[in-house]
Structure formats: C-alpha cells, structure tokens
Amino acid sequence: MDKNFEHLIIMHRDIDKKILKGQDFQRSNVQNVNIQKSTFDDWYFKIKIITNLRIANCNFNDCKFLNVDFSFCKLSNCIFKNCDFSLSEIENNIFFKSTLSNIKFISSRFTDNTFKETSFLKIDLNGSTTKFNCFEESIWTDSVFGNCTIDYNVAIRCKFIETKMNIETLGSVWGIQENELKNITFLSLGRELVDNKKSIYKNYNQY
C-alpha cells in the first residue's frame, strides 16, 4: 500500500466517482460521509470507527475491515468482493440490492442488520455472534451459516443453496421454509450430520 493514514478523521464529505487504491487507515474514524459510484481496491482499515455512511453503487475489492466498528450505514447496489471483516462489530446497518462475495466475518459480532435482496456467496461466519439480523428476499450460496452463535434472526423469502448450516438454525432463525433449503449440509458441534434430512425436518417440526 502506498499511503498510510493514522488517527485520521473524515467527516461530512461527499465522495463521487472516485477510484481509490492501496490505502492504509490505522486507528482512523470515518463518519457522516456520502459515497457514490466509487471503487475501493486493497484498502486496509484497522481499529477504527465507520459510522453513519451513505454508500450507493460502489465496489469494494480486497479490502480489510479488521477490528472495525461498522455501524448505522446504509448501502445500496454495492459489491463487496474478497473482503475481510474478521473481529469486527457490524451492527445496525442496512444493505439493499447488494452482493457480498468471498467475505470473512470470522469472530465478528454481526447483529441488528437488515439485508434486503442481497446475495451472499462464499461467506464465512465461523466463530461469529450472528443475532437479531433480518434477511429478506436474499440468497446464501456456498457459504458457512454455522460454527457460530446464531440466535433470533429472521429470514423472509430467502434461499440457502449449497450451504453449511448449524442444525440449531432451524429453530433459531424465524421464517426458514424447507423448500428454500437446497443441498444443505447441517452441522452439530462443528461436525457434519449424516442423518436423513427428512428425518431432521420431521423431528424439528415435532419439537
């Protein structure tokens, strides 16, 4: 990365139609910023606050959001690809018609977010706390929706395809329908279950 910014505060700015590459923000705060039609490549945000951003029609490629407080942001028509949100607090954000591809949320706190018409591809939630999120008309594909704490989430007209999922998810995510689960692998204590899925669904329905 060719730039290093420490203890930087960016507030009340408009960023429009920019292509920004290889920047390193250490212990910086980004607040109340409006970002439109821009691309961020190979950015590194570490130990800082990102809050109250309005982001539309933007691309984030190979960016690291490690140990970041990412909150109260509204994002629409955005694409995140090969990004890392490990050890971060991602909460109270709204994502609309966005795509998250090959994203790590390892050991993150992933709470109180709303996702509408959002696509999740190759997502890793290992070790995360994933609570109080609302997923509506969204699709999870080839991801790990498991090996983490998943409680009190809502999934409305969502599809889960080729995804590994905690068996407890069937009881702790409201709204999941059997016909929305395609080629799911269920996990229990980190291990794959080999039980017949019809038997699993029947037992949970009776429970």
Side-chain angles (χ1 to χ4, degrees), residues 126-143:
N126 269 298
S128 71
T129 299
T130 302
K131 292 185 176 182
F132 309 119
N133 301 288
C134 179
F135 305 96
E136 185 174 353
E137 297 181 346
S138 297
I139 300 176
W140 287 74
T141 307
D142 193 16
S143 299

Side-chain angles (χ1 to χ4, degrees), residues 18-177:
K18 301 290 185 181
I19 298 178
L20 304 168
K21 297 183 178 182
Q23 299 192 6
D24 189 351
F25 285 78
Q26 301 284 335
R27 296 176 293 279
S28 299
N29 294 342
V30 183
Q31 303 178 37
N32 303 308
V33 176
N34 183 33
I35 306 173
Q36 302 279 339
K37 299 178 181 178
S38 296
T39 298
F40 299 81
D41 291 330
D42 193 27
W43 276 45
Y44 188 8
F45 296 89
K46 185 178 181 182
I47 313 179
K48 58 82 191 67
I49 295 172
I50 298 177
T51 186
N52 200 29
L53 272 58
R54 301 296 180 266
I55 308 174
N57 305 302
C58 291
N59 294 331
F60 294 83
N61 303 309
D62 302 298
C63 294
K64 294 182 180 179
F65 300 85
L66 301 182
N67 204 13
V68 167
D69 291 335
F70 191 92
S71 60
F72 297 102
C73 297
K74 293 183 179 180
L75 305 95
S76 60
N77 295 299
C78 291
I79 297 175
F80 289 81
K81 187 175 182 181
N82 301 324
C83 295
D84 193 344
F85 285 86
S86 295
L87 302 173
S88 293
E89 301 264 347
I90 304 102
E91 57 182 342
N92 290 299
N93 301 290
I94 298 175
F95 290 76
F96 177 66
K97 290 189 175 180
S98 295
T99 298
L100 289 78
S101 176
N102 196 26
I103 308 296
K104 294 180 180 178
F105 292 106
I106 296 174
S107 299
S108 65
R109 185 170 176 269
F110 194 68
T111 59
D112 290 297
N113 302 287
T114 298
F115 301 89
K116 186 169 183 179
E117 298 181 41
T118 295
S119 296
F120 300 85
L121 175 64
K122 296 185 183 298
I123 304 300
D124 192 346
L125 292 174
N126 269 298
S128 71
T129 299
T130 302
K131 292 185 176 182
F132 309 119
N133 301 288
C134 179
F135 305 96
E136 185 174 353
E137 297 181 346
S138 297
I139 300 176
W140 287 74
T141 307
D142 193 16
S143 299
V144 180
F145 200 78
N147 292 338
C148 59
T149 300
I150 298 178
D151 287 320
Y152 311 113
N153 295 277
V154 175
I156 303 172
R157 295 184 297 278
C158 293
K159 293 182 179 180
F160 296 83
I161 303 169
E162 302 285 351
T163 290
K164 294 183 178 180
M165 179 181 292
N166 282 353
I167 185 65
E168 294 85 359
T169 300
L170 291 177
S172 61
V173 178
W174 185 88
I176 289 181
Q177 304 295 315

